[in-house]
């Protein structure tokens, strides 16, 4: 319950940043969902925006709230994207993809004039690598790609659904969740090693995307890092 209050607080604060006429990127995950709820509330109060979603879940939530969702290929830019993170450190390096949408989230972030990251206080870490790092992998030759990862020393598991079937992303690919034995001092090096394996689409490492970071606390307060 305390963590959820932090998420709600961060979502409320981020929604206050949105201005009339903006095209807003919608992240994916439980904290992003709190932001979308508050954005819907502001729109019911008169705010006028359009949005681009990083997943069908976020798009569906927004449409239920009567928000206008655009196809990313229909827009020339995104003014501001608000998204969560599984972990974030003092250098604003992040791990994302717990919801399985990190590739689309990274595309939104790269297309945005500003990226605001919202997290509850438990997601702020000294060094990333506690959370599993998802790697999106092309289904063609996926076992061979997974073997290459293991040959490089990376250990983890293919993500599964509750019925034990293979989790497939909205891009039609598989996810291999890497579990690191300790926090990472140079996660950029791991990203570079992984991304060059044929069949790897992208990792859940995010570097250089975060602008403002809003941290929500269990007492309902927030802190914004510039």
């Amino acid at each position: 319950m305390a963590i959820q209050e932090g998420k709600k607080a961060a979502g409320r604060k981020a929604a206050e940043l949105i201005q009339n006429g903006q095209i807003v990127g919608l992240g994916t995950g439980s904290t992003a969902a709190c932001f979308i709820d508050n954005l819907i509330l502001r729109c019911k109060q008169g705010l006028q925006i359009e949005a681009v979603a990083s997943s069908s879940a976020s798009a569906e939530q927004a449409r239920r709230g009567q928000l206008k969702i655009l196809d990313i290929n229909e827009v020339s830019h995104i003014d501001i994207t608000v998204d969560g993170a599984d972990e974030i450190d003092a250098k604003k390096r992040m791990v994302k993809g717990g919801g399985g949408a990190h590739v689309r989230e990274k595309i939104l972030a790269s297309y945005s004039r500003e990226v605001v990251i919202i997290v509850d206080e438990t997601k702020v870490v000294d060094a990333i690598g506690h959370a599993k790092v998802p790697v999106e992998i092309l289904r063609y030759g996926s076992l061979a790609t997974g073997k290459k990862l293991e040959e490089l020393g990376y250990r983890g598991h293919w993500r599964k659904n509750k019925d034990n079937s293979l989790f497939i992303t909205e891009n039609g690919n598989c996810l291999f969740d890497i579990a690191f034995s300790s926090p990472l001092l140079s996660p950029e090096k791991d990203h570079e090693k992984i991304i060059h394996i044929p069949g790897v689409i992208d990792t859940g490492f995010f570097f250089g995307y975060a602008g403002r970071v809003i941290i929500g606390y269990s007492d309902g307060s927030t802190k914004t890092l510039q």
Side-chain angles (χ1 to χ4, degrees):
M1 182 64 70
I3 291 175
Q4 187 62 24
E5 288 305 312
K7 293 179 180 182
K8 289 179 179 179
R12 282 193 300 269
K13 187 68 174 180
E16 294 173 2
L17 303 177
I18 308 305
Q19 300 176 18
N20 265 322
Q22 287 187 321
I23 297 175
V24 183
L26 308 178
T28 294
S30 57
T31 312
C34 292
F35 163 71
I36 296 170
D37 281 340
N38 284 278
L39 183 61
I40 290 169
L41 180 60
R42 284 206 61 203
C43 288
K44 288 180 178 178
Q45 295 169 344
L47 179 70
Q48 296 183 353
I49 58 96
E50 296 175 312
V52 176
S54 58
S55 67
S56 58
S58 293
E60 183 179 345
Q61 179 186 1
R63 287 194 182 101
R64 286 199 305 267
Q66 306 302 310
L67 299 189
K68 182 178 180 180
I69 298 296
L70 304 175
D71 187 297
I72 191 170
N73 293 318
E74 297 175 348
V75 302
S76 60
H77 70 279
I78 297 170
D79 291 297
I80 182 171
T81 286
V82 178
D83 204 352
D86 300 325
E87 291 182 328
I88 186 167
D89 68 12
K91 295 181 180 180
K92 299 181 181 178
R93 298 180 296 189
M94 298 180 286
V95 171
K96 290 174 51 55
H102 65 275
V103 173
R104 294 189 180 196
E105 290 170 334
K106 196 172 286 188
I107 292 170
L108 277 190
S110 68
Y111 208 32
S112 300
R113 292 173 175 171
E114 181 181 10
V115 177
V116 176
I117 297 299
I118 55 175
V119 292
D120 69 81
E121 59 192 295
T122 67
K123 303 297 174 56
V124 181
V125 296
D126 292 329
I128 60 176
H130 299 274
K132 293 180 180 179
V133 178
V135 179
E136 186 154 342
I137 292 174
L138 203 67
R139 291 182 76 176
Y140 179 84
S142 57
L143 294 182
T145 306
K147 185 176 180 181
K148 287 289 185 182
L149 278 169
E150 293 177 344
E151 288 173 354
L152 288 176
Y154 296 108
R155 299 289 179 264
H157 301 280
W158 295 100
R159 190 176 298 187
K160 300 287 185 68
N161 297 307
K162 290 182 179 180
D163 63 1
N164 207 39
S165 62
L166 194 64
F167 180 94
I168 301 300
T169 70
E170 291 185 44
N171 307 317
N173 302 313
C174 312
L175 286 181
F176 188 85
D177 291 320
I178 296 176
F180 290 93
S181 58
S182 60
L184 305 172
L185 298 178
S186 301
E188 295 88 349
K189 293 181 179 179
D190 289 290
H191 171 78
E192 284 301 313
K193 287 168 65 177
I194 295 168
I195 200 67
H196 286 105
I197 299 173
V200 169
I201 306 299
D202 210 340
T203 77
F205 288 119
F206 280 60
F207 309 122
Y209 289 103
R212 283 177 281 187
V213 178
I214 299 174
I215 304 169
Y217 295 88
S218 57
D219 63 359
S221 65
T222 63
K223 178 169 70 174
T224 301
L225 306 178
Q226 299 294 330

